[in-house]
Amino acid sequence: MKAAMLYGVNDLRIEDAEIPKVETGEVLVRVKAATTCGTDLKIFHRGYVEKVIKLPTIFGHEWAGEVVEVADNLDWPVKGMRVRAGNSAPCLHCAMCQKGKYNLCENMIWLWGAYAEYIKVPARMVLVNMQEIPPHVSFEEAAITEPLACVLHGAEEAGVKLGDSVAIIGAGPIGLLHLLAAKKMGAEKVVVIDLVDERLNCALKLGADAVINSGNESPVERVKQLTNGYGVDIAIEAIGLPVTWEQALKLVRKGGTVLEFGGCPPGTDIRVNAELLHYGEVTVLGAFHTTPLHFHKALNLISSRTIDVRPLVTRKVKLEEIRQAFELLSTSKTEIKIAVNP
Ligand SMILES: [Zn+2]
Ligand SMILES: [Zn+2]
């Protein structure tokens, strides 16, 4: 089969690979769509994320497809079924899983290999993180279950609720998914901050109440103006840079919550003013990845179009064009997610 193999920074090659063999509990799926993700782009440009990916590997982690082979011991799924799965499966019995923190599982398995004609789903993942896709939902939409699941987990941790004002730093795919989720969770006002006007226009189209180009004006001052001088109830950082992690702290009112969502490079420190936490009672949260529960919720919300992810797929390409797709994502101001159809 054809597969896009990642060897290192900026080194992605289309190669012939063996079609994986199905063993006990496993399922082989013909990939129909795999979507690009900010995490892919970071790994492509910056290098691998320890524990989460080992190189060389077939790249890509957001996908959906059709079941072509099922291990003999399984009654579900069946051949021909449209499914999505992964990209993680917790063990359910480590100390973190026993605390209900499935996203922090000590023995998490990760599945890479979406940018290929076939992908094999490990037994544990078939059990805890595979779903059938309803007929009216496209493979491209279903592939977006993964980032939406991460966003739902973060938004729930931050406690976005009816009537809240929310500021989101970053109008990339994750920031835009946060916008869609926050509006559905009842946010009264969502302000989106970015450096690129084209992305801010996209945020406006998707329902942002106000946008701020931080290259032209101070987000801190403008957010204060928009909130009677107080700051927002919840600020969400969706970029992954120390400067914006620190900026998020300045956008919230007293008693507000900051969700630091974008992953910074390893070894990053940020400065937090102690008065802000003490006198200001600001809560600062991190959020990592997501849980099987949120994967299920995400696909259900995509299926019912409660959260309509269709506008996020701005282009479809063939597997052979994947390098160009990554280059385009790095330079274009209008591309959000590109769907690869192997
Ligand atoms: Zn992703
Ligand atoms: Zn575990």
Side-chain angles (χ1 to χ4, degrees):
M1 65 168 184
K2 290 258 178 296
M5 192 76 96
L6 186 71
Y7 281 90
V9 174
N10 291 318
D11 188 2
L12 185 63
R13 308 175 202 166
I14 302 290
E15 291 185 348
D16 277 317
E18 291 280 317
I19 297 177
K21 289 205 170 46
V22 165
E23 288 171 42
T24 310
E26 297 175 338
V27 170
L28 187 70
V29 181
R30 175 77 176 86
V31 179
K32 294 288 189 173
T35 42
T36 59
C37 167
T39 306
D40 292 348
L41 207 58
K42 261 187 208 173
I43 293 173
F44 182 69
H45 287 306
R46 197 160 79 188
Y48 75 110
V49 179
E50 208 182 345
K51 287 182 189 160
V52 174
I53 188 168
K54 285 198 168 58
L55 303 184
T57 184
I58 303 176
F59 204 29
H61 65 278
E62 300 177 4
W63 61 273
E66 226 168 67
V67 174
V68 288
E69 210 184 323
V70 183
D72 292 339
N73 66 318
L74 292 177
D75 311 322
W76 185 97
V78 294
K79 268 188 201 177
M81 189 182 269
R82 303 167 82 243
V83 296
R84 63 146 301 276
N87 64 330
S88 67
C91 73
L92 309 183
H93 60 73
C94 73
M96 289 301 119
C97 284
Q98 282 174 14
K99 296 271 182 198
K101 302 294 286 178
Y102 300 108
N103 58 313
L104 302 180
C105 174
E106 300 280 338
N107 311 308
M108 189 80 94
I109 55 168
W110 300 95
L111 182 61
W112 292 87
Y115 301 138
E117 289 178 281
Y118 297 91
I119 188 166
K120 185 174 79 168
V121 184
R124 190 203 286 172
M125 204 168 281
V126 174
L127 283 179
V128 305
N129 195 358
M130 177 180 253
Q131 293 152 275
E132 183 174 6
I133 305 165
H136 69 279
V137 178
S138 70
F139 290 113
E140 287 79 8
E141 282 175 273
I144 298 177
T145 300
E146 189 268 336
L148 180 59
C150 295
V151 161
L152 293 177
H153 165 248
E156 282 179 16
E157 292 289 304
V160 179
K161 60 185 186 306
L162 193 66
D164 278 350
S165 53
V166 177
I168 298 167
I169 307 176
I174 289 291
L176 295 174
L177 282 170
H178 267 296
L179 159 66
L180 294 173
K183 289 303 279 186
K184 283 296 170 183
M185 290 167 91
E188 171 257 327
K189 184 181 285 176
V190 181
V191 185
V192 178
I193 302 160
D194 200 284
L195 281 165
V196 179
D197 282 330
E198 288 82 350
R199 289 196 184 164
L200 292 171
N201 288 337
C202 183
L204 283 171
K205 275 192 209 130
L206 292 177
D209 300 284
V211 293
I212 303 170
N213 186 322
S214 46
N216 303 338
E217 52 185 339
S218 154
V220 178
E221 275 167 36
R222 187 72 205 292
V223 162
K224 293 253 159 86
Q225 268 172 22
L226 289 163
T227 51
N228 298 322
Y230 289 104
V232 287
D233 299 309
I234 296 173
I236 300 172
E237 200 277 1
I239 295 180
L241 290 173
V243 54
T244 38
W245 272 49
E246 289 181 7
Q247 186 180 65
L249 300 167
K250 297 176 185 149
L251 299 178
V252 289
R253 63 162 171 82
K254 283 185 189 172
T257 299
V258 177
L259 175 66
E260 305 286 22
F261 193 85
C264 291
T268 298
D269 291 314
I270 61 158
R271 282 176 12 153
V272 183
N273 180 297
E275 283 176 37
L276 192 74
L277 301 194
H278 182 72
Y279 296 107
E281 288 197 346
V282 166
T283 301
V284 185
L285 293 169
F288 171 67
H289 194 54
T290 189
T291 73
L293 171 80
H294 292 96
F295 278 102
H296 282 262
K297 226 186 247 193
L299 182 60
N300 291 343
L301 291 167
I302 288 171
S303 302
S304 62
R305 307 256 158 80
T306 306
I307 294 185
D308 188 353
V309 297
R310 286 172 294 182
L312 299 185
V313 177
T314 46
R315 184 182 294 263
K316 294 182 189 182
V317 300
K318 295 197 188 86
L319 186 61
E320 292 74 19
E321 300 163 324
I322 192 164
R323 278 200 63 93
Q324 293 94 304
F326 274 101
E327 274 150 31
L328 195 60
L329 280 174
S330 316
T331 51
S332 162
K333 294 178 173 176
T334 50
E335 300 292 344
I336 303 171
K337 280 174 111 57
I338 298 181
V340 179
N341 301 110

